[in-house]
């Protein structure tokens, strides 16, 4: 079955450490997204990519970086510059069918600080 | 700028009662509107979407929503709540021609036996 796979499910970061969250999709979707979810705040957009080798900052990009070297993959790195990284991170994608396309979501990664 | 406001961070209903989750949006152009549901420790799933074809939209699991332009609202309803409806619900907006989806803060639905 097609879908989005996020790994790991749980991740712990030590102070000063960079960590990378994986997101892989086999839906043949062009656009991919990273959202951060905090309790009571909904989902906030970190980065998005409409096509391979291109990506744009979302609303809360500071302290994060991404790459899009392959259509299937959109990893997110949480850098040491992100001072409050504890959150649930969701990866999503949409097809090329237009802006009324729904988002397909992965099952998320819970990042916590040790 | 687009934004979404969900009234009530928590809603509690009895099993069999009407479910009403409120969503108001602000958009300078005709929007596409979505309702998503999230079960604990999972990603979001689409319940339904409005794309200007019809103002009353029917979704999965017996949910429906009505687009009211004059009230800038897109409230989600279900006639009879089931225990399995307990989850968090998010209203979202995207304007035509855009790639960014803006989410509301979410409403957690509790269903009492």
């Amino acid at each position: 079955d097609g879908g989005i796979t996020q790994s790991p499910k749980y991740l712990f970061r030590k102070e000063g450490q960079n960590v990378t969250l994986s997101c892989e999709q086999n839906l043949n979707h062009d656009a991919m997204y990273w959202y951060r979810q905090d309790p009571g705040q909904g989902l906030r957009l970190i980065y998005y990519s409409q096509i391979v080798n291109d990506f744009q900052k979302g609303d809360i990009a500071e302290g994060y970086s991404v790459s899009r070297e392959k259509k299937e993959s959109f990893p997110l790195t949480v850098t040491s510059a992100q001072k409050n990284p504890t959150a649930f991170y969701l990866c999503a994608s949409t097809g090329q069918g237009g802006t009324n396309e729904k988002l397909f979501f992965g099952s998320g990664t819970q990042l916590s600080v040790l | 700028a687009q934004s979404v406001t969900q009234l009530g961070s928590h809603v509690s209903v009895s099993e069999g009662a009407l479910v009403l989750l409120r969503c108001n949006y602000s958009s300078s152009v005709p929007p596409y509107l979505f309702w998503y549901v999230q079960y604990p420790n999972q990603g979001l799933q689409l319940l339904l979407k409005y794309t200007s074809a019809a103002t009353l939209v029917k979704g999965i699991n017996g949910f429906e929503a009505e687009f009211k332009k004059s009230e800038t609202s897109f409230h989600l309803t279900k006639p009879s709540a089931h225990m399995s409806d307990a989850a968090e619900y998010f209203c979202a907006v995207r304007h035509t021609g855009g790639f960014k989806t803006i989410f509301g803060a979410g409403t957690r639905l509790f269903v009492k036996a």
Side-chain angles (χ1 to χ4, degrees):
Chain A
D1 286 339
I4 298 179
T5 301
Q6 288 188 242
S7 62
K9 191 168 181 63
Y10 299 97
L11 186 59
F12 296 91
R13 192 191 90 166
K14 295 179 182 178
E15 196 162 337
Q17 185 182 42
N18 293 354
V19 292
T20 297
L21 285 61
S22 171
C23 176
E24 302 279 332
Q25 55 101 354
N26 60 2
L27 298 166
N28 199 32
H29 284 172
D30 290 300
M32 297 186 73
Y33 308 78
W34 274 106
Y35 285 91
R36 169 177 170 144
Q37 184 177 14
D38 296 278
Q41 295 192 46
L43 280 68
R44 292 181 290 168
L45 184 63
I46 305 173
Y47 269 98
Y48 64 105
S49 168
Q50 297 176 32
I51 198 169
V52 174
N53 292 323
D54 185 52
F55 49 82
Q56 288 80 40
K57 292 182 179 180
D59 301 314
I60 56 164
E62 187 174 349
Y64 301 97
S65 66
V66 293
S67 62
R68 186 84 188 278
E69 297 176 1
K70 298 187 300 181
K71 187 175 185 178
E72 302 78 21
S73 179
F74 190 41
L76 173 74
T77 296
V78 183
T79 74
S80 57
Q82 172 50 246
K83 298 306 179 187
N84 183 24
T86 297
F88 191 56
Y89 291 85
L90 287 161
C91 180
S93 69
T94 57
Q96 193 67 10
T99 56
N100 63 348
E101 287 286 319
K102 69 177 185 180
L103 287 164
F104 288 78
F105 283 88
S107 56
T109 293
Q110 176 64 50
L111 176 62
S112 303
V113 176
L114 287 176
Chain B
Q2 300 171 88
S3 66
V4 177
T5 302
Q6 291 184 240
L7 298 177
S9 59
H10 297 85
V11 169
S12 182
V13 300
S14 297
E15 194 172 20
L18 171 72
V19 175
L20 171 60
L21 304 182
R22 300 178 186 273
C23 172
N24 288 88
Y25 69 91
S26 106
S27 177
S28 57
V29 295
Y32 293 127
L33 294 159
F34 306 81
W35 275 99
Y36 288 87
V37 61
Q38 183 181 34
Y39 298 100
N41 299 315
Q42 293 186 27
L44 280 68
Q45 306 169 35
L46 182 72
L47 273 179
L48 49 82
K49 66 179 181 182
Y50 166 76
T51 58
S52 78
T55 57
L56 183 62
V57 182
K58 294 188 184 297
I60 62 171
N61 301 338
F63 284 94
E64 62 181 38
E66 186 173 8
F67 173 70
K68 292 187 176 180
K69 185 177 179 180
S70 60
E71 298 177 7
T72 60
S73 70
F74 191 56
H75 302 331
L76 182 70
T77 60
K78 181 174 180 178
S80 176
H82 191 272
M83 296 297 287
S84 61
D85 295 326
E88 189 153 23
Y89 293 80
F90 293 92
C91 183
V93 62
R94 181 192 297 166
H95 74 69
T96 53
F99 274 88
K100 292 173 61 175
T101 301
I102 307 300
F103 286 85
T107 297
R108 184 166 295 280
L109 176 66
F110 297 93
V111 182
K112 300 174 291 186

